Structures are given as C-alpha cells and as structure tokens.
Amino acid sequence: MLARTRPALAAADSDTQPSTSGRDEVDTTITHRVGRAVALTIGIAATALKRAEERTIGDKSIIPEATPIGRLVIGLYGNAVPRTVSNFLALVESGNLVGTTFSRVLAGEYIQAGKQGARRLGAVEVPASVQPNTEVSEASAFRLPHYRPGTVSLALGENDEEPSLRLRPEYRPVEFLITTGPGPVPRLNGQNIVFGRVVEGMSVVGQVAQVPVFGPSPVGNSLAFNSLAAAIGDDRAATVRRKYGKPLKAVVILGSEILPSGEEAPSSATAG
C-alpha cells in the first residue's frame, strides 16, 4: 500500500464558497438562536500516531501534538433536521470532539470525523446527552443533496465504524462528513443526513484534503485481490477498503465551541 498525495482543490481555497444546494421545500435557514453555528479548530500533526519512543505507560492518547491550521465554522439547519442538529450540538457541548481525529480523507469528495471507538486512538466517546435519532428512519431527513463544497452531513451510508459497533442497541450515530468540492458528490445523496454547511473555513477543508492517505497500491496485485475477495464474499476486502482514505498524518480537532449570537453566520443565509 502506498501513501497518496492529493491534487490541489481550487474550489476549496475560498472561505466564501457556497456549500450545499437544497430544494425549495426544505428549510435550510441557519436557525435563529444561540447554537445555530459551531466552530471547530483543526490541526495537523507530522505523523498519524506517536512514535514508540514518545509513548509512555498509561498514555490516555497516542495521537501526536498537532499544529493548528485554522477554524471551521459550521452553520446548522435546525429547522430541517432538528434532532440531528440537537445531537451535534450536544456532542460539541460535551467537549468529546476535542482531541479526536478525522478518520477519512477523500480529496474531491469529503473529509470525515466523529468516528466512535477508543479515545486513546483519537476516536469519539458519545456522551449520554446525545439522544436516539428518529430522523435516521425518516425519508424527509435525507432530501438535501451533497451538491456543493462544504456540505456537512451525518455519515450513515459512508460510516466507517466497525459493523459490530453499529449493531449495538445503544448505538447513536454522530460521525459526520464535510464535502471538499470542487464538484458535487451525488453518490452521497439519500444515504446521509445533511444538517449544515461550512460558512467559514473552506480553505481549512482544502488543507485537510491534501493530507496523504492510505490507499491501494497502483502496482502489484492488491486491487485484483480486493476485487476477487469481494466477488467471492470474503470480508477481508471490505475490511481493507474501510482503511482506504485513512490519513497518514493525524488531523486533529483541537477545539470545539457553540458560537454566541454575535459570531454566527447571517440569519438569512440559506442553501442555494
């Protein structure tokens, strides 16, 4: 397997780039109240995990120190999908996103964070304040598409958590993705719940999209093996594919906050 360095994304360079396109009947107003926008401070480390010599017994995390690269501000569609937005706000308010990492980077498609698992490895522990989400079984919650850069959605169809975790009765989905642009990602439509858009910081999304990732080797027989394994029902291929797009440098959420009214996006902002 080889690390793949991603091509530059011209559309991700502008912090004013619009981020999603909805249908007229869906209310994508960024909701008028404290909590209609969330800010995430992002950093990138030199490696994915601490080197062996840097680790100590009892380390609570083996994620290396990351250098800040900027802030993402996400406006939330509280009118369209109130439960999904409420759960995202509860996750941010809990502080449980801080110190976690982006688990997948697919330049030209999306970057993904909020994967559940071991905190030590940069995964999320879901707080009790995150409630069961009835919108995951409501067709109307899936109507908004992933047409423009900066679309933020609850990762259901593109979820990369272990299947055994998702089958637990107490499982509550919080993993989310952000589309990178420059074009739409239609394959995500109908699979994930769009609940917001990036209103500031698309240049940060662009920087994250450039991080080298784990992927199939262009030489040898890895692609042929995976195709054969998938054809005969061998689950090893699916296991390997879940690792595709895994960053080879830790992309860390260094801070998260719910913005007060004075720092939010314009109240008239809607998806265009």
Side-chain angles (χ1 to χ4, degrees):
M1 301 293 177
L2 300 177
R4 295 184 291 176
T5 301
R6 301 301 194 176
L9 300 177
D13 290 337
S14 171
D15 285 342
T16 60
Q17 178 71 34
S19 35
T20 189
S21 178
R23 299 180 177 88
D24 291 340
E25 67 270 18
V26 180
D27 185 353
T28 56
T29 301
I30 295 175
T31 46
H32 295 69
R33 59 180 178 270
V34 173
R36 64 179 172 152
V38 160
L40 304 178
T41 301
I42 309 298
I44 298 177
T47 58
L49 300 172
K50 290 180 181 177
R51 298 181 177 87
E53 62 271 18
E54 298 173 329
R55 302 180 192 180
T56 59
I57 296 175
D59 266 351
K60 293 184 178 179
S61 174
I62 58 173
I63 302 302
E65 185 175 345
T67 301
I69 61 168
R71 186 175 84 154
L72 293 176
V73 177
I74 300 171
L76 303 171
Y77 300 156
N79 292 337
V81 282
R83 172 55 68 189
T84 300
V85 165
S86 176
N87 277 349
F88 185 65
L89 289 171
L91 179 63
V92 171
E93 188 173 32
S94 74
N96 285 24
L97 272 178
V98 177
T100 65
T101 61
F102 280 74
S103 59
R104 186 177 298 224
V105 172
L106 298 177
E109 292 194 353
Y110 62 84
I111 58 178
Q112 191 158 309
K115 178 180 178 179
Q116 297 180 47
R119 182 76 180 185
R120 187 168 181 265
L121 299 175
V124 171
E125 294 178 351
V126 179
S129 53
V130 172
Q131 300 297 308
N133 190 347
T134 56
E135 288 168 355
V136 302
S137 58
E138 297 173 5
S140 60
F142 294 83
R143 287 187 294 173
L144 286 172
H146 301 73
Y147 282 167
R148 296 183 181 176
T151 299
V152 183
S153 65
L154 185 66
L156 299 172
E158 293 296 305
N159 190 292
D160 61 0
E161 293 162 341
E162 292 299 323
S164 58
L165 174 65
R166 300 181 69 186
L167 291 173
R168 294 177 183 175
E170 70 275 15
Y171 175 75
R172 289 157 290 164
V174 296
E175 191 173 23
F176 62 96
L177 61 84
I178 304 172
T179 58
T180 64
V185 194
R187 70 181 183 83
L188 300 180
N189 296 341
Q191 298 187 57
N192 310 284
I193 298 176
V194 172
F195 66 89
R197 63 184 179 91
V198 174
V199 296
E200 176 188 321
M202 277 306 295
S203 60
V204 176
V205 174
Q207 289 181 71
V208 174
Q210 301 308 305
V211 172
V213 301
F214 177 89
S217 172
V219 297
N221 63 357
S222 63
L223 290 174
F225 165 77
N226 285 327
S227 296
L228 175 62
I232 64 176
D234 191 323
D235 61 3
R236 287 176 295 175
T239 299
V240 170
R241 281 197 298 272
R242 281 201 299 273
K243 296 182 184 294
Y244 289 170
K246 183 176 181 179
L248 299 179
K249 296 181 178 181
V251 181
V252 187
I253 298 176
L254 300 176
S256 67
E257 60 180 320
I258 299 172
L259 296 180
S261 299
E263 293 189 60
E264 294 169 354
S267 60
S268 61
T270 58

